[in-house]
Amino acid sequence: MTDASRDVLLRVENLSTQFGTGEAASVPVQGVSFEVGRGEVVAVVGESGSGKSVTMSSILGLLRGTTGRTIAGSALFDGEDLLTMSERELRRIRGAQISMIFQDPGMSFNPVLTIGRQLSEAVRVHDRSLGREQIRTRVRDLLRDVNISDPDTRMGQFPHEFSGGMLQRAMIAMAMINKPRLVIADEPTTALDVTIQAQILELLDRMRRDFDSSVILVTHDLGVVAEIADRVVVMYAGTVVETGSVTGIFHRPQHPYTRGLLASRPQLSEKKDHLFSIPGQPPQVITEHVGCPFQPRCYVGRNEEACGRTRPLLREVADGHSASCHYTDRVVPVRIGAADDRMGALHD
């Protein structure tokens, strides 16, 4: 679907989050903007420390009561700003209309409560009209739907009695049990082997279709993105540097950082002595950027005065495709299935 026709469920605009105060303050999320349409899967990608998880936590108000706080922006969920809601209002939405699947399910479940009790509580909190047997039936059916065999027995077991893959399935069941309109999946396959990863992604996509939910998939794995996402948001150093359709991002990247991520992917069809990597390290996000945060690592703007002086704004470069780069016309196109030595040469 095009941007013009997409029915937007979540619109994040100019979101900035700060940790600490005064000279010790850091700003790990700086002016982040993106949209999620109804029924869409939007992948948020970037290296560790790019601000992906902090962005999601900020949207859901999970940093309140800590040293983190939102200092600017809005997050309109079906027209209501999540950032201005009280904690009581957010509790009504979290787990019911918006659910989150965390990276480590072993840390997300209470180790001294059974899986069945924890899933039942997720239903009971948001629907007081259901009786005990009705809740138990819903939990049993959903565990079966996420491919957990013998759900009656499993409901009485504790988290340590589940394997990693089973715990992640149970976490998906927890997220979907109230049929949310938006699911945020934060690195849901990181700790799993390749076979289980594929099963979890297939399950997540099936549950999304069954419940007609939208999904924000936070990941650094571009293979996962290609498998399941409709659109992509690329983050670097707390900012959005590019956003567009999966096809546009993978075949016609408009930011050097996105191009570097794509060049770093191993290709089974190619034989290479070494893999390409983006030189240097992401910056420590201490204060807001003056110029382009990617400049020290960039093959395009490393020596360009404009890149060091002026922070590039996210601007539309094609229909539904935006990038924050002064020199998008210099970004090397992707040649799918062919050796790409030019990218490496540009860095030398």
Side-chain angles (χ1 to χ4, degrees):
M1 64 182 75
T2 66
D3 275 8
S5 64
R6 190 171 68 252
D7 187 5
V8 176
L9 176 64
L10 176 70
R11 177 178 285 110
V12 178
E13 294 185 339
N14 198 35
L15 175 67
S16 294
T17 300
Q18 177 179 296
F19 286 105
T21 57
E23 294 183 358
S26 62
V27 190
V29 173
Q30 304 182 17
V32 167
S33 299
F34 65 91
E35 296 178 350
V36 181
R38 298 181 196 275
E40 273 193 322
V41 179
V42 175
V44 180
V45 304
E47 294 169 285
S48 296
S50 61
K52 306 185 299 294
S53 295
V54 175
T55 297
M56 300 306 128
S57 295
S58 299
I59 291 170
L60 288 178
L62 298 178
L63 299 178
R64 295 181 182 181
T66 69
T67 56
R69 63 189 182 94
T70 301
I71 58 175
S74 62
L76 299 178
F77 177 70
D78 207 15
E80 295 185 86
D81 192 354
L82 298 172
L83 303 186
T84 61
M85 287 185 179
S86 67
E87 185 60 29
R88 183 177 181 179
E89 290 173 316
L90 282 173
R91 281 199 300 268
R92 175 177 53 85
I93 289 177
R94 290 192 298 241
Q97 298 185 57
I98 305 177
S99 292
M100 190 157 183
I101 301 171
F102 294 95
Q103 181 173 346
D104 185 355
M107 298 294 291
S108 302
F109 284 104
N110 189 323
V112 300
L113 298 178
T114 64
I115 294 293
R117 180 174 174 181
Q118 294 183 66
L119 266 66
S120 296
E121 186 64 21
V123 179
R124 189 176 296 111
V125 165
H126 295 287
D127 192 347
R128 298 286 184 178
S129 67
L130 296 178
R132 180 177 298 180
E133 274 308 309
Q134 290 173 302
I135 293 175
R136 183 176 178 83
T137 298
R138 183 187 290 188
V139 172
R140 181 195 301 117
D141 291 346
L142 195 53
L143 286 176
R144 187 180 292 114
D145 287 344
V146 297
N147 301 327
I148 293 180
S149 60
D150 194 6
D152 284 299
T153 299
R154 294 298 186 182
M155 286 168 66
Q157 292 182 329
F158 294 89
H160 74 269
E161 298 178 89
F162 278 49
S163 67
M166 286 175 60
L167 271 181
Q168 195 60 281
R169 290 187 181 94
M171 178 58 67
I172 292 175
M174 175 84 83
M176 305 303 297
I177 203 162
N178 290 308
K179 301 180 181 179
R181 291 189 288 165
L182 175 63
V183 177
I184 300 173
D186 190 358
E187 302 278 8
T189 62
T190 295
L192 305 175
D193 64 50
V194 175
T195 302
I196 302 299
Q197 281 186 22
Q199 294 173 1
I200 294 299
L201 288 174
E202 182 181 356
L203 173 61
L204 182 61
D205 191 46
R206 177 168 62 81
M207 299 298 284
R208 174 190 67 83
R209 287 183 276 108
D210 288 347
F211 293 106
D212 195 27
S213 301
S214 302
V215 175
I216 299 177
L217 178 66
V218 179
T219 184
H220 61 270
D221 189 334
L222 291 173
V224 169
V225 173
E227 184 74 22
I228 194 174
D230 299 308
R231 293 190 306 113
V232 185
V233 175
V234 183
M235 290 189 66
Y236 181 78
T239 67
V240 173
V241 296
E242 187 164 4
T243 180
S245 68
V246 168
T247 300
I249 293 291
F250 274 68
H251 292 265
R252 296 178 299 279
Q254 297 292 302
H255 194 283
Y257 177 62
T258 307
R259 186 62 187 85
L261 291 178
L262 292 167
S264 302
R265 292 179 303 156
Q267 297 286 338
L268 293 177
S269 60
E270 299 178 17
K271 185 176 180 180
K272 290 187 176 182
D273 295 330
H274 63 276
L275 294 175
F276 170 80
S277 63
I278 302 173
Q281 297 293 327
Q284 280 193 318
V285 184
I286 303 300
T287 57
E288 294 196 47
H289 306 297
V290 176
C292 176
F294 189 61
Q295 186 193 25
R297 307 174 70 189
C298 183
Y299 71 92
V300 171
R302 182 185 298 152
N303 299 315
E304 294 291 344
E305 183 180 348
C307 298
R309 185 181 66 247
T310 307
R311 176 177 169 177
L313 300 178
L314 197 66
R315 59 184 177 87
E316 190 169 66
V317 293
D319 185 27
H321 194 151
S322 299
S324 60
C325 178
H326 294 304
Y327 302 103
T328 55
D329 58 318
R330 301 185 192 176
V331 178
V332 182
V334 177
R335 291 181 290 159
I336 301 297
D340 193 356
D341 297 325
R342 184 182 172 194
M343 185 71 181
L346 286 168
H347 279 285
D348 293 338

